[in-house]
Amino acid sequence: MPVTVATVLDEEDLARVADAMNIIAGHDTESMVRTVMPHLGRGEGAAIGRYTAFNHVALAVFPRTFDGLVEELARQGVDVTRKTPSVVVRDRLCRRYGIRRRDLSVEILRAAVRDRAGQKCELEMFAVLTPEHLAHIAEAERAHSWENHVGLCVPQADPVLVSGLRSAITTCLCPDGGGYNEYEGSTVLYFRGDHPDPAYRRLELVSRGGRLPGVLEQHLRESDVGVELLRLLTGAWATQAIATAAELRLPDHLTTISDLPGLAAATTADQDSLNRLLRYLAALGVVRTSADGFHLTEVGQLLCADVPGSMRPLALMYGGSFYQAFAGLPEAVRTGVASYEKIFGFSHFEHMARDPQVADTFHQSMAASNAVFAEVARVVDFDGAGTVVDIAGGNGQLLSQVLAGTPSLRGVLFEKPHALTTARTVLRAVADRCRLVSGDFTKSVPDEGDIYVLSRILHDWDDEECQRILETCAATMPAHAELLVIERLLPEREGGASLAIPWDVHMLCNVGGRERTESQYRALLARAGFDLLDTQPLPLDIHLLRAIKFEVPEQGRETHHHVGGGH
């Protein structure tokens, strides 16, 4: 692009315009999607490219006057084909610098350009009229390139398509505002990332064809970082709202009662206060409202006491002693010592031994993961085993499902005496094939098993104690036996998603234990004499890790029982 002496625009702006032209010439839709979102999966990237087109590259320029601006750009080889007033960018700048709308003039100038593939594209310039008293805006915007972006266009937009594209893009870019441009009849959504080159840090998704109010409202809400922080800060309130609903047995009453007066009478609650709680539960997705009152959602149904897989005990536990223990998180982080004992005067396990009600609620909450237990019975082939030993198996819920699924199998529940009392009831249907053995798994385990199970046990302990537990198992288990470890796994890479991340902090407060990655478990198992063979995902972000002792001959590893191909 030829450069001549500028009179309306600064030389710096002209150089930035030339850079933007070069970006367009160097990209097509596929390469631009890959450049702006390098962490996007191949399938998602291809889908975005299928429904969008590389549309423009944009930057802000700061003319001293609009008079002669188009002519000056033409002398630089940039032929402006369209001019429209700016709505979205003008409003963003006004908010950013505390300026009234009427005091800031912004026009959008567009010049037709061809991309690398020869497809039509545009150079989009936000011309911000910058008299002397607004020079600080030009200085800051040039320094930070806040309005620079690349654009993708959705030619035939509809709410479902744009919502899906937005969801895919937000897996690697953050919502960053947007709006409706009434002059062009398009909804624009901005996203931002951390690309090292400022030219690629922001993306605009332009949806032609009218307003998309629902999509835009959601996007703007997620763009407000203050709202997002407040949502996070009120997470404790959500816990207590759900726990209160569980304590009042509100979900159970909602299965037969929908009107507010009836629910207030059934729960013996103040009607106005209950209405406010229900409104919050509706916002959380636990209940829904209709013309005839309130109804449970699928999420809310899990809080009913008698449904299969009821999570009501979890709600009571997380809203009770676990909630109180979390109040000591600052001290736990400072000292590395669990806060539970400081709050209650006893360690978590000692508290359960002293208080049968706390122990019962805890074991019920552990048993609330019925979906996990059922999946263990499905993905593990127990037919080749004679005896399964469930180490510290709580009230026996997992063992009962495993034994029910394999009639030829015998079981041993190895637990503390207070847990075995409850387990007798849970295991009544399989009592003829199950022994209840009292003991301390940190010191010894039964020696008669073909399969040993440690379900959500190791995360209760630090690495040193985990090592002792695994070494105790290795020393006692028969040479042919397998060990099944059931735990949540932390992501191996930073930024990965898993419920293990918040649970890791919960373990810090509650018992001083920790969640771990698969590779960390692999190392712990290896030091204790085990070889981790494979890992299988289970519901609720839990995984099953299958291990055998090193001394098992290679050719004999698959002769007994295996993960996969369940019954």
Side-chain angles (χ1 to χ4, degrees), residues 219-254:
H219 190 76
L220 292 177
R221 184 175 182 81
E222 292 180 10
S223 299
D224 189 332
V225 293
V227 169
E228 176 64 12
L229 180 57
L230 285 174
R231 185 188 67 80
L232 295 172
L233 288 172
T234 57
W237 304 353
T239 301
Q240 283 302 313
I242 294 170
T244 298
E247 186 174 329
L248 294 173
R249 294 190 176 270
L250 181 59
D252 296 284
H253 293 305
L254 278 164

Side-chain angles (χ1 to χ4, degrees), residues 66-401:
F66 287 150
D67 295 336
L69 175 59
V70 172
E71 292 75 14
E72 180 163 286
L73 287 168
R75 290 194 296 272
Q76 311 302 321
V78 181
D79 294 321
V80 174
T81 56
R82 286 194 298 153
K83 288 174 56 180
T84 55
S86 167
V87 175
V88 178
V89 173
R90 180 203 61 189
D91 288 351
R92 285 168 64 92
L93 290 170
C94 287
R95 286 193 297 271
R96 190 175 296 148
Y97 297 101
I99 299 172
R100 295 176 300 181
R101 289 181 179 179
R102 70 186 186 190
D103 294 334
L104 193 66
S105 296
V106 184
E107 288 191 354
I108 306 176
L109 280 61
R110 293 181 172 85
V113 189
R114 296 282 177 174
D115 70 9
R116 186 174 69 181
Q119 298 298 312
K120 290 182 179 179
C121 201
E122 286 186 327
L123 173 65
E124 188 174 274
M125 294 162 284
F126 306 120
V128 184
L129 187 61
T130 314
E132 188 64 30
H133 69 281
L134 296 180
H136 64 287
I137 295 179
E139 182 180 354
E141 292 295 320
R142 288 183 185 126
H144 298 286
S145 301
W146 282 315
E147 294 304 328
N148 285 33
H149 64 264
V150 298
L152 298 177
C153 178
V154 188
Q156 298 178 336
D158 64 63
V160 174
L161 174 59
V162 177
S163 181
L165 290 169
R166 197 187 79 87
S167 295
I169 293 169
T170 53
T171 61
C172 52
L173 300 179
C174 299
D176 192 34
Y180 177 72
N181 190 324
E182 60 192 50
Y183 299 104
E184 298 185 343
S186 61
T187 298
V188 297
L189 307 178
Y190 288 107
F191 305 83
R192 73 179 184 280
D194 56 1
H195 197 285
D197 187 338
Y200 302 108
R201 281 183 193 155
R202 295 183 69 243
L203 170 70
E204 180 185 28
L205 189 67
V206 183
S207 301
R208 309 289 190 202
R211 296 180 182 273
L212 301 171
V215 177
L216 180 59
E217 180 183 353
Q218 176 71 13
H219 190 76
L220 292 177
R221 184 175 182 81
E222 292 180 10
S223 299
D224 189 332
V225 293
V227 169
E228 176 64 12
L229 180 57
L230 285 174
R231 185 188 67 80
L232 295 172
L233 288 172
T234 57
W237 304 353
T239 301
Q240 283 302 313
I242 294 170
T244 298
E247 186 174 329
L248 294 173
R249 294 190 176 270
L250 181 59
D252 296 284
H253 293 305
L254 278 164
T255 61
T256 56
I257 305 170
S258 60
D259 63 290
L260 181 61
L263 290 168
T267 58
T268 64
D270 175 75
Q271 183 168 312
D272 177 64
S273 300
L274 183 62
N275 185 48
R276 293 159 72 177
L277 174 63
L278 283 161
R279 182 171 57 200
Y280 189 19
L281 293 172
L284 294 172
V286 176
V287 303
R288 58 180 176 84
T289 58
S290 67
D292 63 341
F294 300 92
H295 306 274
L296 288 174
T297 64
E298 192 173 1
V299 171
Q301 289 169 10
L302 289 173
L303 293 169
C304 293
D306 298 324
V307 299
S310 170
M311 299 179 79
R312 180 176 183 269
L314 280 172
L316 295 174
M317 201 76 194
Y318 291 157
S321 59
F322 286 173
Y323 184 89
Q324 293 171 266
F326 226 91
L329 179 60
E331 185 67 16
V333 171
R334 277 193 291 265
T335 64
V337 177
S339 55
Y340 195 100
E341 185 169 353
K342 183 173 182 179
I343 299 295
F344 292 100
F346 310 103
S347 71
H348 170 64
F349 299 111
E350 188 179 0
H351 194 191
M352 286 197 297
R354 289 172 174 265
D355 190 329
Q357 185 174 354
V358 171
D360 184 56
T361 303
F362 173 76
H363 289 302
Q364 286 186 48
S365 71
M366 294 293 285
S369 304
N370 275 343
V372 175
F373 299 155
E375 192 71 359
V376 170
R378 188 186 72 80
V379 303
V380 179
D381 186 352
F382 290 97
D383 284 334
T387 301
V388 59
V389 178
D390 192 356
I391 302 170
N395 66 1
Q397 191 70 48
L398 171 58
L399 186 58
S400 71
Q401 295 210 24

